[in-house]
Amino acid sequence: MRVLVLGSGAREHALLLALRRDPHIDALAIAPGNAGTAAIAETYDVDPGSGQAVADLARRIGADLVVIGPEVPLVLGVADAVRAAGIACFGPSAAAARIEGSKAFAKEVMTAAGVPTAASETVDNPAHLDAALDRFGRSAGQPAWVVKDDGLAAGKGVVVTAERAAARAHAAGLLDDGHPVLLESFLDGPEVSLFCVVDGETVVPLLPAQDFKRVGNGDVGPNTGGMGAYAPLPWLPAGMVDRIVAEIVQPVATELVARGCPFSGLLYAGLAITPQGPSVVEFNCRFGDPETQAVLALLDSPLGELLHAAATGGLAQVPPLRWRDGAAVTVVVAAENYPGRPRVGDVITGADADNVLHAGTARDADGAVVSAGGRVLSVVGTGEDLIAARARAYATVDSIRLPGSHFRTDIGLAAAEGKIRV
């Protein structure tokens, strides 16, 4: 089987590495890729947001399966174009991808499905903003306002704050740019990312993970696309994954079928484990980054077989997934000034280890690997437990040289020390 992966981040690098372990796959291609993925897959310079260009490329190279990594091509309908060309595609239709592309649509689906989630209100007129903010009062000891861009924002369109002025400024800025705003109540409890491969009403969960959105240690500073992740979650109560599937993911999948836009691909539930149980923070329509890097490092089943089955309506016949023992930790090495406008073009050294996945990288005129984005590298450590996995990841991070780069030093630390409680 020949597989074409769409995207250019560390998530796509992780997908390629996992696909390469699948004996059913004999050729890998990526578009557009990065400096790291070029070493393991044929690389094509194609706009991933153009359905016609992607379908033409898949047809030209004889792809048996297209795997779409990022959310933007999915929301734009690239999966529809690939399927219309008669090629199997792992990724939802544009109609189903609205579960991520519109938070208001996601709330509507969850309400209809009876799924627990934060109370919310959509504001699309600046004149209504102040009254809406006033309806979200301060909770004792907790932030009062959660303000989100209703559309895609690469994980950086959210502000969680106890300061009304900060909430208002973020919301007003979004409205000024023509973006509707979603106000939500704050969900108290540790967060979980649960990826589920979905084929209509068939749901297969992967290992639960936890990611770290804030830029600084101790969850301080602005939100980012993700500064690290780990899997599995030693603190998650037994049976919680089954409960999340039964109470949240399955009802949403069933509701999307009922609406005539069945989901086919990776449905990502971002959850808070509150005192009342799991509640949805958000849904995404694709593999998350950086959780994918940790989760796939522990997958023992053939990934290509799993994704192809979901793409062709055969997910229900796939055997139970097999997982490696132990834990995995992903640490993101970011460029100077990220999540603001990142400094690029700096030469990277020490990133040749097999557990270094590339994201924002390219090659300069001399062939050297240089930074080309905000999140530059993901370093994945595996081990018998989180302590060992962290040690391996950070040992590799310490060997990497990138001027001005930064990373969090506390990825998975609280869990490794047994400090997270439900």
Side-chain angles (χ1 to χ4, degrees):
M1 182 163 58
R2 177 184 290 269
V3 180
L4 168 63
V5 174
L6 209 62
S8 60
R11 164 185 49 213
E12 288 73 36
H13 198 162
L15 284 165
L16 288 173
L17 290 175
L19 289 166
R20 191 170 63 167
R21 299 195 298 265
D22 187 334
H24 302 91
I25 294 173
D26 53 19
L28 290 170
I30 188 165
N34 57 48
T37 60
I40 57 175
E42 303 165 10
T43 301
Y44 296 91
D45 186 15
V46 167
D47 176 7
S50 169
Q52 187 63 56
V54 172
D56 288 346
L57 171 62
R59 189 185 297 109
R60 187 168 76 248
I61 67 174
D64 301 294
L65 174 66
V66 175
V67 178
I68 301 178
E71 62 273 23
V72 172
L74 292 167
V75 171
L76 292 176
V78 171
D80 301 275
V82 172
R83 280 192 276 266
I87 300 166
C89 184
F90 184 80
S93 65
R98 286 182 296 163
I99 198 76
E100 178 172 2
S102 169
K103 294 177 178 62
F105 174 76
K107 289 290 186 182
E108 180 185 317
V109 169
M110 285 186 275
T111 298
V115 167
T117 186
S120 67
E121 181 174 345
T122 301
V123 180
D124 58 9
N125 187 329
H128 301 156
L129 177 58
D130 286 307
L133 287 170
D134 290 342
R135 285 190 282 273
F136 287 78
R138 183 183 301 277
S139 302
Q142 298 293 348
W145 291 280
V146 179
V147 184
K148 296 182 177 181
D149 188 334
D150 182 58
L152 298 178
K156 294 181 282 187
V158 182
V159 163
V160 181
T161 179
E163 302 296 329
R164 189 183 189 283
R168 192 185 192 287
H170 183 62
L174 293 172
L175 290 167
D176 286 346
D177 289 338
H179 295 222
V181 169
L182 190 76
L183 301 181
E184 285 189 339
S185 59
F186 178 75
L187 294 175
D188 186 23
E191 292 196 2
V192 173
S193 298
L194 184 64
F195 298 166
C196 294
V197 178
V198 175
D199 167 17
E201 295 192 54
T202 303
V203 176
V204 175
L206 306 188
L207 285 182
Q210 186 178 65
D211 76 332
F212 295 74
K213 288 294 188 189
R214 301 276 188 162
V215 72
N217 285 354
D219 294 324
V220 300
N223 270 357
T224 70
M227 293 299 293
Y230 67 95
L233 309 181
W235 48 267
L236 195 66
M240 184 59 75
V241 168
D242 290 340
R243 181 179 175 184
I244 292 167
V245 170
E247 296 181 6
I248 292 174
V249 183
Q250 190 72 61
V252 165
T254 299
E255 175 64 21
L256 290 173
V257 169
R259 287 170 177 253
C261 52
F263 196 96
S264 175
L266 196 291
L267 188 56
Y268 163 163
L271 309 139
I273 309 301
T274 75
Q276 292 74 41
S279 189
V280 177
V281 175
E282 64 178 355
F283 272 108
N284 291 328
C285 64
R286 39 69 195 183
F287 280 101
D289 184 337
E291 300 101 317
T292 298
Q293 293 88 297
V295 171
L296 292 187
L298 298 173
L299 180 65
D300 200 36
S301 293
L303 179 63
E305 179 184 45
L306 174 68
L307 303 188
H308 188 267
T312 55
L315 184 60
Q317 284 70 56
V318 172
L321 298 183
R322 303 186 308 274
W323 298 94
R324 299 171 183 173
D325 293 334
V329 172
T330 301
V331 179
V332 170
V333 178
E336 182 177 347
N337 200 44
Y338 179 79
R341 184 181 181 89
R343 172 173 153 175
V344 298
D346 289 307
V347 173
I348 305 166
T349 59
D352 300 325
D354 60 5
N355 63 328
V356 178
L357 309 185
H358 288 233
T361 66
R363 289 195 181 272
D364 65 12
D366 297 323
V369 176
V370 298
S371 58
R375 292 188 295 170
V376 181
L377 303 167
S378 282
V379 179
V380 182
T382 56
E384 62 182 3
D385 55 24
L386 281 175
I387 294 173
R390 275 176 43 83
R392 184 177 181 216
Y394 281 109
T396 302
V397 169
D398 288 342
S399 71
I400 294 170
R401 297 291 176 267
L402 171 61
S405 63
H406 60 97
F407 56 90
R408 284 184 59 158
T409 62
D410 62 348
I411 304 300
L413 180 60
E417 294 178 342
K419 293 181 177 178
I420 301 181
R421 296 283 187 271
V422 174

